[in-house]
Amino acid sequence: MLLLQQVTYAHPNREVLFKDLNFSLNTNHKWSLIGNNGSGKSTLLKLIAGELQPLSGTIQRGEKPYYIPQLFGQYNHLSVGAALGVALKLTALQRILAGDTDEVQFERLNDDWTIEERCKEALAYWELSGIDLDRPMSRLSGGQKTKVFLAGIMIHQPAFVLLDEPSNHLDAASRTILYEFVQQYRGAMLVVSHDKRLLNLLDTTLELSRDGLKTYGGNYNFYVAQKAIEQAALLDDVHSKEKELRKAREKERETIERQQKLDARGKKKQEKSGVPRIMMNTLRNNAEQSTAKTKAVHGEKISGIREDLSALRAALPDLDKMRLGFDESAFHTGKLLFEAKDINFSFNGLPLWSYDRKLSVHSGDRLAIKGRNGSGKTTLINTILGLQVPGSGSIKRNEFRAVYIDQEYSLIDNELNVYEQLQRYNDGALQESELKNKLTHFLFGKESWDKACAVLSGGERMRLVLCCLSLSRQAPDLIVLDEPTNNLDLQNVSILTHAIRDYKGTIVVVAHDEDFLEAVNIRQEIDLS
């Protein structure tokens, strides 16, 4: 079905992203591909799909895979039918049924007489019955675009599918459909995702890292258990090597001290024996050379141990969680922050909700807002933040300090570089060295300090937002998060989870990621569906 042999890929600037990858995937096998942001997961899918070419190595495919990318902007100029690659067939079918007997129409249809029926069934399965195949892709939401291409699997019935973050932009109901579809699908599948529920539906886990590809013979939970065993062993190796280094330093000290005592004792004997001065100088030089040689031998050994220890430490993951370090919120638990009674909004003369809504947010609440795409989740957030006023009903809103973290992490100014962005939040007048230490703690090495914010990945933007917020000791009274885990890899989801979990104030979050909601201790929810 698929065979990769010694595959190496380099960016146009010749920087190597990964090299010498080997991998095979058999018929009807379902694999997940995981790894940190920047490791090359999406690039590897594009190579397998034939959209990119490797610098070296070979990729053998049984047939061209059906590929669903993470982003769909390149299809905005097409209709739904054209994006799915069925427009010409459908036109040919319609013309033949209307009496056109031109051979060209039959060639285009290629005996695919059920194409129209399959399109209708597939779109209905993905709850897209109201989407006309002539509709421009540009008029669809992110979730609808994803479901259009997922419907394409049912239409084209490929033997091999590549999916890049397929649950992104899908609401809870659509994710449920996706999970059921993946379980029922009988072809081969390679999936890039940070959705743990989806990953646990797949047979085998493939990890892409700086060391290449490593296979784990089970789903994501199996992978996590195996990684825990590996990390425990790695930590044991680190501790063992640290102990070896301490012993080597102690041995060096003892050996040099013993040598120096012997040299001093010999010198006294020589002075009492009346050894000539020229001979004394020779003996002293010999003693110094012997001590230097001893230091060199031990120094070389210690240097080797240090290198081994550095390599072991470099292999450790970023287990240290990046915390916000806020003081307690100024409000006592239970203080009313926001209250809405019988509110609704009108769009194009129609009410947003079928019935008026009520909601209250108190200090210390941890609330999830759920609902299908277009159900008004962002509208409700804007109302809580005082950015939007309902068309009907009443609201009561006390003054409070809020931080809004949206899907794009737009607290980041794309006109600035990483260091300048952090400096903008430096209300406490920290010194440059302190700011750079803070950036390092949030995984921004010195090579990143001048990096333009506009080119940061989703995970990097999230970490930079957390780093900026950590400069303030005064906690915001409310943190609002809008689909915060979209476009984050598993490592960065973990970082965000631990940072938010430690926050003691009020949280309102829009998310379909049930694992994230559970991890940050969400205790209430409002469903706008």
Side-chain angles (χ1 to χ4, degrees):
M1 176 63 69
L2 175 69
L3 179 63
L4 274 69
Q5 293 180 301
Q6 300 296 107
V7 170
T8 296
Y9 180 78
H11 294 298
N13 64 1
R14 308 300 290 177
E15 179 186 357
V16 174
L17 180 59
F18 46 69
K19 64 178 182 177
D20 298 335
L21 298 187
N22 295 285
F23 168 61
S24 63
L25 186 147
N26 297 321
T27 304
N28 301 334
H29 216 92
K30 298 174 185 176
W31 293 62
S32 65
L33 175 61
I34 64 175
N36 293 339
N37 281 353
S39 60
K41 302 184 297 297
S42 294
T43 299
L44 182 54
L45 288 194
K46 290 178 181 178
L47 285 166
I48 295 171
E51 294 199 354
L52 294 175
Q53 296 302 315
L55 179 65
S56 61
T58 60
I59 301 176
Q60 299 177 29
R61 311 171 189 86
E63 67 172 63
K64 184 176 175 62
Y66 182 85
Y67 169 54
I68 301 182
Q70 183 176 351
L71 303 172
F72 303 104
Q74 66 271 35
Y75 299 101
N76 281 345
H77 66 290
L78 299 175
S79 68
V80 170
L84 285 171
V86 297
L88 287 177
K89 276 190 177 183
L90 288 171
T91 300
L93 176 62
Q94 291 163 4
R95 289 181 177 175
I96 291 171
L97 294 176
D100 188 343
T101 58
D102 191 320
E103 186 63 28
V104 172
Q105 306 304 336
F106 287 92
E107 289 177 1
R108 289 175 177 172
L109 183 60
N110 194 29
D111 283 337
D112 194 355
W113 297 97
T114 63
I115 182 64
E116 187 173 31
E117 182 181 344
R118 292 203 311 277
C119 287
K120 289 180 180 178
E121 289 177 354
L123 292 175
Y125 180 89
W126 291 100
E127 300 184 334
L128 296 173
S129 296
I131 302 296
D132 193 290
L133 289 168
D134 291 328
R135 182 181 296 190
M137 289 287 290
S138 59
R139 290 174 53 193
L140 302 184
S141 69
Q144 289 173 324
K145 289 176 181 177
T146 300
K147 291 195 289 184
V148 161
F149 283 95
L150 288 169
I153 300 174
M154 300 177 69
I155 294 169
H156 295 287
Q157 302 174 356
F160 179 25
V161 175
L162 303 172
L163 305 177
D164 194 352
E165 298 288 2
S167 61
N168 273 10
H169 308 298
L170 296 185
D171 56 28
S174 297
R175 288 189 181 205
T176 299
I177 298 173
L178 173 65
Y179 302 150
E180 292 173 352
F181 178 78
V182 168
Q183 287 177 293
Q184 296 168 4
Y185 183 67
R186 293 291 173 250
M189 185 175 283
L190 181 60
V191 182
V192 170
S193 180
H194 65 270
D195 183 336
K196 295 177 185 177
R197 298 199 176 193
L198 174 56
L199 295 174
N200 276 323
L201 300 176
L202 305 169
D203 308 317
T204 307
T205 303
L206 193 64
E207 182 186 49
L208 179 60
S209 70
R210 59 193 171 193
D211 298 320
L213 285 169
K214 186 172 183 179
T215 301
Y216 293 82
N219 65 8
Y220 180 73
N221 283 344
F222 176 84
Y223 162 80
V224 170
Q226 292 299 115
K227 289 295 285 188
I229 294 171
E230 290 178 11
Q231 297 307 327
L234 182 57
L235 284 171
D236 285 343
D237 289 344
V238 168
H239 295 154
S240 176
K241 191 62 68 174
E242 288 172 339
K243 185 177 180 180
E244 184 182 348
L245 181 60
R246 288 194 298 271
K247 285 185 176 180
R249 285 171 172 164
E250 182 66 19
K251 181 69 173 177
E252 178 191 40
R253 185 183 62 78
E254 290 175 353
T255 302
I256 291 175
E257 286 179 354
R258 185 166 58 249
Q259 183 69 46
Q260 288 174 339
K261 286 178 182 178
L262 290 173
D263 291 345
R265 195 177 301 153
K267 182 179 179 182
K268 286 181 181 179
K269 285 183 179 180
Q270 292 156 8
E271 288 175 346
K272 287 180 181 180
S273 302
V275 175
R277 181 176 295 277
I278 188 170
M279 181 62 72
M280 288 280 289
N281 289 338
T282 300
L283 292 172
R284 185 177 68 249
N285 290 337
N286 290 339
E288 289 175 353
Q289 289 174 5
S290 177
T291 300
K293 187 179 294 184
T294 300
K295 285 183 177 180
V297 170
H298 283 278
E300 185 175 344
K301 181 178 181 180
I302 289 172
S303 178
I305 296 172
R306 278 177 176 160
E307 288 180 6
D308 292 343
L309 182 57
S310 294
L312 287 170
R313 284 173 172 163
L316 286 171
D318 300 300
L319 297 176
D320 52 334
K321 310 304 179 184
M322 282 148 258
R323 306 185 188 279
L324 295 173
F326 288 141
D327 292 333
E328 295 292 330
S329 171
F331 290 128
H332 63 80
T333 300
K335 180 178 175 61
L336 180 67
L337 302 182
F338 172 85
E339 184 177 50
K341 293 182 178 180
D342 302 323
I343 64 169
N344 213 328
F345 295 81
S346 178
F347 293 98
N348 298 322
L350 297 174
L352 174 60
W353 300 309
S354 59
Y355 61 92
D356 296 342
R357 301 283 181 169
K358 61 180 180 179
L359 170 70
S360 61
V361 180
H362 296 82
S363 180
D365 284 353
R366 299 177 93 83
L367 169 70
I369 299 176
K370 297 183 176 180
R372 293 177 177 273
N373 293 336
S375 61
K377 300 184 294 293
T378 301
T379 298
L380 186 54
I381 283 178
N382 288 335
T383 305
I384 294 171
L385 294 173
L387 303 175
Q388 205 160 340
V389 178
S392 61
S394 63
I395 59 173
K396 178 180 179 182
R397 185 178 182 278
N398 290 315
E399 289 300 317
F400 54 83
R401 296 177 63 251
V403 171
Y404 178 34
I405 303 176
D406 62 11
Q407 297 182 43
E408 303 300 326
Y409 297 96
S410 54
L411 290 175
I412 303 294
D413 187 341
N414 288 332
E415 299 298 319
L416 305 177
N417 63 33
V418 168
Y419 177 77
E420 291 168 342
Q421 172 67 34
L422 187 63
Q423 180 65 57
R424 176 170 287 186
Y425 279 76
N426 186 20
D427 297 334
L430 295 178
Q431 299 296 313
E432 179 178 344
S433 59
E434 294 175 285
L435 291 177
K436 290 181 175 177
N437 283 338
K438 184 72 88 169
L439 285 170
T440 301
H441 181 69
F442 280 82
L443 307 185
F444 289 100
K446 59 183 180 181
E447 73 282 354
S448 301
W449 297 340
D450 294 328
K451 190 175 183 179
C453 291
V455 301
L456 296 180
S457 68
E460 289 171 326
R461 293 176 75 84
M462 180 276 295
R463 285 190 276 107
L464 186 52
V465 165
L466 294 182
C467 189
C468 290
L469 296 180
S470 73
L471 294 185
S472 174
R473 297 297 301 176
Q474 178 60 50
D477 304 306
L478 170 66
I479 293 180
V480 178
L481 303 107
D482 189 356
E483 295 290 3
T485 61
N486 269 8
N487 303 315
L488 297 187
D489 62 18
L490 293 164
Q491 177 198 40
N492 283 302
V493 169
S494 178
I495 290 169
L496 177 64
T497 299
H498 283 78
I500 295 301
R501 189 162 61 193
D502 282 352
Y503 168 65
K504 304 303 181 186
T506 310
I507 292 177
V508 174
V509 56
V510 171
H512 299 109
D513 187 336
E514 294 293 339
D515 293 306
F516 176 76
L517 294 176
E518 182 180 347
V520 298
N521 302 317
I522 295 300
R523 296 184 287 267
Q524 305 162 260
E525 67 176 57
I526 178 171
D527 193 338
L528 299 178
S529 296

